């Protein structure tokens, strides 16, 4: 028999909160990725990893906040905890692959499209793996065309986000990019939910809200997002976009770097205007210039 689905049992509360979580994760991830492009290679992996975890956690939190409003009238829903957390790990790993590609190869050309595709597939995989962790007295089926549309939305959104991470420098531009990213991720989620059909084996009592099951599982990722937010707020380069007095190469994926190589060195002069010879330098003398 066909199940009666309600995806908005709390009205607009869960979609709005879910959107806010997607925007928060996106904003933190974009700023961390931007920060990674302003430091040397030794510190870059840490910022890219933090950005990956922030975006992955934000997307995962968005999904399960939205799922708090999802109910099946005829049967209760239960969640498989290992599969649910596995979907979080999958999101972080695949988003991380895309971010590291852009962080080291640049937000242009093949690297951008490769990173965006991997990240988008990670977002979509997280969604459908999370759905696979739901247990009830029945089964899900999906409309193939609608699922394909949701995957395309995820890939396009991820590619745009990675482009913004490599190109956008101003704080307000990053905020705007995160709002667009949150909208795209939410759109992917609800497009995927529109592809869903519920087939029940039989009625097993009235279905209740899964909020009591999901809320404790969300505590860890939410705490991490708050901690990442603290790191962003207290790092001046995250707010300003680039360090004062440091020349940054205008090329995505290249660190701020060996700054000394960008400075023009002028020889010191005596008071008379003659250059001071560096005692630490020894010019080789050939027989022709002796």
């Amino acid at each position: 028999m066909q199940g009666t689905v309600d995806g908005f049992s709390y009205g607009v509360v869960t979609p709005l909160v879910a959107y806010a979580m997607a925007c928060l994760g996106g904003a933190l991830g974009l700023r961390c990725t931007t920060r990674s492009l302003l430091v040397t290679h030794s510190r870059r992996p840490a910022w890219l990893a933090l950005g990956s975890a922030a975006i992955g956690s934000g997307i995962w939190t968005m999904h399960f906040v939205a799922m708090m409003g999802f109910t099946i009238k005829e049967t209760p829903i239960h969640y498989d905890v290992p599969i649910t957390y596995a979907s979080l790990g999958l999101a972080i790993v695949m988003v991380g692959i895309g971010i590291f590609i852009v962080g080291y190869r640049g937000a242009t050309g093949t690297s951008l499209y490769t990173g965006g595709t991997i990240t988008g597939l990670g977002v979509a995989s997280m969604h459908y793996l999370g759905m696979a962790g739901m247990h009830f007295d029945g089964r899900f089926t999906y409309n193939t065309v609608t699922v394909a549309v949701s995957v395309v939305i995820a890939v396009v959104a991820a590619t745009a986000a990675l482009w913004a991470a490599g190109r956008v420098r101003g704080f307000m531009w990053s905020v705007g990019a995160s709002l667009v990213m949150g909208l795209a991720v939410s759109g992917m989620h609800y497009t995927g939910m529109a592809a869903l059909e519920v087939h029940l084996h039989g009625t097993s009592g009235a279905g209740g809200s899964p909020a009591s099951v999901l809320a404790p599982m969300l505590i860890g990722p939410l705490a991490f997002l708050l901690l990442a937010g603290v790191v962003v707020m207290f790092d001046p380069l995250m707010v300003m976009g680039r360090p004062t007095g440091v020349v940054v190469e205008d090329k995505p994926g290249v660190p701020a770097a060996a700054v000394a190589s960008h400075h023009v060195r002028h020889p010191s002069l005596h008071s008379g205007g003659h250059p001071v010879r560096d005692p630490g330098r020894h010019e080789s003398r050939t027989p022709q210039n002796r």
Side-chain angles (χ1 to χ4, degrees):
M1 63 176 290
Q2 194 82 11
T4 305
V5 173
D6 184 2
F8 304 93
S9 57
Y10 291 104
V12 298
V13 174
T14 48
L16 289 178
V17 175
Y19 173 69
M21 291 298 101
C23 291
L24 175 61
L28 294 175
L30 290 177
R31 297 309 294 168
C32 289
T33 306
T34 297
R35 177 66 169 89
S36 74
L37 300 178
L38 302 175
V39 297
T40 56
H41 277 283
S42 62
R43 298 177 61 189
R44 178 173 291 189
W47 285 106
L48 291 175
L50 182 61
S52 305
I55 293 177
S57 297
I59 294 170
W60 185 87
T61 303
M62 174 269 151
H63 172 82
F64 284 102
V65 167
M67 293 308 296
M68 283 184 176
F70 179 84
T71 58
I72 302 173
K73 183 178 179 180
E74 297 83 1
T75 183
I77 300 172
H78 305 284
Y79 286 83
D80 185 292
V81 175
I83 293 179
T84 301
Y85 280 124
S87 66
L88 172 61
L90 179 65
I92 293 174
V93 169
M94 294 196 72
V95 168
I97 292 173
I99 284 183
F100 270 79
I101 289 174
V102 169
Y104 281 96
R105 301 299 298 274
T108 56
T110 303
S111 60
L112 174 62
Y113 295 119
T114 301
T117 300
I118 294 173
T119 301
L121 292 176
V123 173
S125 299
M126 178 280 301
H127 174 90
Y128 291 107
L129 181 58
M131 296 299 293
M134 297 174 62
H135 297 304
F136 60 98
D137 188 18
R139 62 187 176 86
F140 289 138
T141 59
Y142 294 93
N143 179 281
T144 304
V145 174
T146 311
V147 168
V149 172
S150 72
V151 173
V152 170
I153 292 174
V155 170
V156 172
T159 303
L162 292 179
W163 177 87
R167 293 289 185 177
V168 172
R169 289 291 181 269
F171 179 75
M172 294 308 298
W173 281 103
S174 293
V175 171
S178 67
L179 294 177
V180 174
M181 180 182 177
L183 184 62
V185 170
S186 298
M188 176 270 155
H189 171 84
Y190 286 106
T191 301
M193 296 304 293
L196 182 70
E197 291 184 359
V198 177
H199 302 276
L200 299 177
H201 298 151
T203 58
S204 55
S209 171
S212 59
V213 177
L214 290 174
M217 300 175 67
L218 294 171
I219 293 175
L222 283 173
F224 171 78
L225 288 174
L226 292 176
L227 180 61
V230 171
V231 173
V232 170
M233 290 174 61
F234 283 90
D235 188 277
L237 294 186
M238 299 293 285
V239 177
M240 300 304 296
R242 67 175 58 190
T244 303
V246 174
V247 179
V248 181
E249 269 191 70
D250 186 19
K251 180 180 179 183
V254 177
V259 177
S261 65
H262 295 285
H263 291 293
V264 179
R265 294 193 179 99
H266 298 283
S268 300
L269 301 177
H270 283 300
S271 58
H274 301 290
V276 178
R277 182 174 180 178
D278 185 352
R281 295 179 58 188
H282 300 282
E283 297 180 358
S284 61
R285 301 183 65 187
T286 62
Q288 287 82 359
N289 60 22
R290 281 178 183 169

